[in-house]
Amino acid sequence: KKRISHTISTVSGEKNPIVGKFGSFGGKFVGEVLISPLAELESEFNSVLLDHDFKMEVETALRDYVGRETPLYHAQKLTDHYKNINGEGPEIYIKREDLSHGGSYKMNNVVAQAILAKRMGRKSIITATNMLRKPSNVQLMELLGAQVKPVEGSFQAAASESTREWISNLQTGYYLAGTAVGPHPIPTMVREFNSVIGKETRRQAMEKWGGSPDVLVACVGTGCNALGLFHEFVGDKNVRMIGVEGGGVGTNTGDQLHSASLVRGEVGVYHGAMCYLLQDEQGQITKTQSIASGLEFPGVSPELSFLKDAGRIECYTVTDQEALDAYKRVCRLEGIVPALEASHAFAYLEKLCPKLPHGAKVVVNCSGTGYNDATTVLNS
């Protein structure tokens, strides 16, 4: 495995400038019209990392509105489930991001970027979502005052249309990226604002057992929830970090649909940054598939791409059926309803736990709640 030779940015107080490159990944592959707006965004982002008032406003919003910190829950029945015949096995802990306001880790980044947009004097927020798979979310957005513009095609088409909308409103609009892909500084911003997950986990682990986790497990779509948990521990060589992607129907042949950019993708440019992505022999982006709509991305975070090549993270896939089984298992054993995305992380415990030493501390990121997924699960 390669050694990590690149300093991974960004943390508050870092002396070196943020360049947006993770080894050969990342960068800013965009048209001339976006160079200046992205430079302005980068400058503002670098500034707020050191701004006490900004950090206090975000911290207050995360505490009083989002409901942080989220618990690090000892899943005793799940732990018992994975004990061997000698009563030995790892200890399973769940980082309960599903308990955040809105039922997802995504509020960490959304709230912080909204405060940043206000600081920059922007009057409107532009973003993209997957409407077809979860239409109830669109109805809720409209109740909350959002104007929803339907776009034909996948999330990728919606993201492209959002970028065009932003270009037409550069002076007053703010493009709020909810995923860890795109040109610099977007992937770094999204990771930084989600890194509160890992910071809390470190502190909570120290309180609960006086050390760090042995293994971190998170699902990977573009990688923002995984990086939110992982980033705090990148420098801890004894902490394993495992990213689990959507394996679709579960075949290893390339002609079957899946969403495994890290495991089965190749390096290319996706939404303005160099990363691993799913593409055909002509370099065209291929269609993705997962029972979890949040994992259906052809590209992945440039930072995760770098961590994979550096050998710092382990990348695996879980099939749709394995994720469905895990969803039901966590519901039954723990009374927790995980999102289908998070169910991919829980599903990998089936393969991971038998190989771990007794007492190993495993933290699974429950990135969101799965109440909206219940119909899909029951009909599958």
Side-chain angles (χ1 to χ4, degrees), residues 32 61 86 89 121 123 133 183 214 254 313 378:
E32 187 66 30
N86 297 318
K123 304 300 182 183
R133 295 287 290 272
D214 296 300
I313 63 170
L378 294 173

Side-chain angles (χ1 to χ4, degrees), residues 63-76:
R63 183 189 66 232
D64 297 342
Y65 181 71
V66 179
R68 302 206 73 89
E69 62 183 40
T70 61
L72 182 62
Y73 169 72
H74 184 215
Q76 184 62 63

Side-chain angles (χ1 to χ4, degrees), residues 191-202:
R191 180 262 288 149
E192 184 66 20
F193 293 144
N194 279 319
S195 65
V196 62
I197 301 171
K199 292 171 184 174
E200 287 181 3
T201 298
R202 181 185 291 280

